[in-house]
Amino acid sequence: MRQILCAILFAVLSAPFALAQSAGYRVQPGDTLAITVLEDDTLNREVLVLPDGRISVPLAGSVQAGGNSVGTIESTIADRLASNFAVRPSVFVSVTTVDEDGLTFPVYVLGEVAAPGIHEVETGTTLLQAIALAGGPDRFAATKRIQLRRTDSSGQEKLYLFNYRAVERGGSIQSMITLREGDVILVPERRLFE
C-alpha cells in the first residue's frame, strides 16, 4: 500500500505540465494518462487517448476521456469498476504527457499593431501577451480603447475594453483576462486629438 501511494505521489509530482494537472484542463486526443487503482494493481497502466477521445480500461471498457477533466475520468472509471469490488474502488488519473498541438488555438489581432492577423497562442495567454505577440501597438494606435470581442456559447458577442496606456504607465492589470479560442482583439486608430 505504501509503495502504491508513493507511486501516485511521484506520478502527480512528475507530471510534465502543471496546466494538465489543473482542474481546468480538458484531456485531449494524443495525451497519455496514468491510471492507478489502489485496490487492484493489475489495473494500473498508462494509456494513450485515441483520436476519438476514448481510452480502454480493463473491466471498465471504453471510457470517453477527451474533453473531460481528470476528476471526471477518475469518477467514470470508479463507477464502472464498482460492480467488480466489494466497495467503490479508489481511482487516480494523472496526465503524464500532453499533446502539445492541443494546447494552442488561434486568436485574431486587428488594427494598429505591428503584425495584425491570426496568431496561435498557448492556453493561458492573456490579452496583454497577445498584443505583445502581434508586435505591440503602433504609433497610430488608440491605446486607451483596445477592444476584446468574444462570442459566447449562445452566439452573443461581448465587448471588453482594455486601457493599454494605463498599464504602460504602471497601472495594475487586475482585469486582465485570459484569451479563448476565436477571440478578436481590435486596436483602433487614434482620433485626431486623442
Side-chain angles (χ1 to χ4, degrees):
M1 181 73 161
R2 187 174 177 190
Q3 291 174 330
I4 293 172
L5 289 175
C6 287
I8 292 170
L9 181 61
F10 177 75
V12 170
L13 293 176
S14 66
F17 302 100
L19 171 67
Q21 297 305 108
S22 71
Y25 180 74
R26 300 289 179 195
V27 171
Q28 301 293 321
D31 292 354
T32 304
L33 306 178
I35 301 171
T36 305
V37 181
L38 290 182
E39 289 77 10
D40 186 354
D41 61 353
T42 64
L43 296 173
N44 297 351
R45 64 196 64 245
E46 282 201 7
V47 295
L48 177 68
V49 181
L50 299 175
D52 67 355
R54 298 193 162 280
I55 58 173
S56 182
V57 180
L59 302 178
S62 180
V63 175
Q64 180 64 37
N68 289 321
S69 67
V70 168
T72 301
I73 297 166
E74 289 174 346
S75 180
T76 301
I77 293 171
D79 290 344
R80 292 203 183 165
L81 292 175
S83 63
N84 298 301
F85 294 89
V87 294
R88 187 173 189 266
S90 301
V91 177
F92 297 94
V93 175
S94 61
V95 180
T96 57
T97 59
V98 174
D99 180 20
E100 293 187 31
D101 292 335
L103 293 177
T104 63
F105 56 88
V107 295
Y108 306 87
V109 184
L110 306 172
E112 303 302 317
V113 291
I118 300 173
H119 293 273
E120 286 289 323
V121 297
E122 295 179 1
T123 302
T125 300
T126 65
L127 174 62
L128 186 60
Q129 291 167 332
I131 292 170
L133 286 172
D138 68 18
R139 63 188 184 136
F140 299 110
T143 56
K144 289 183 179 180
R145 299 185 287 120
I146 295 176
Q147 302 172 15
L148 171 65
R149 295 177 173 269
R150 174 175 291 165
T151 304
D152 64 18
S153 58
S154 66
Q156 291 230 318
E157 185 179 71
K158 291 189 177 183
L159 175 67
Y160 303 90
L161 294 176
F162 175 69
N163 187 341
Y164 180 84
R165 184 175 288 172
V167 172
E168 200 173 36
R169 291 181 176 163
S172 69
I173 52 173
Q174 297 168 345
S175 64
M176 183 59 59
I177 58 177
T178 303
L179 297 178
R180 295 184 189 159
E181 185 172 356
D183 280 351
V184 177
I185 300 166
L186 176 62
V187 182
E189 187 176 9
R190 192 173 55 215
R191 294 183 188 127
L192 186 59
F193 294 106
E194 188 172 14

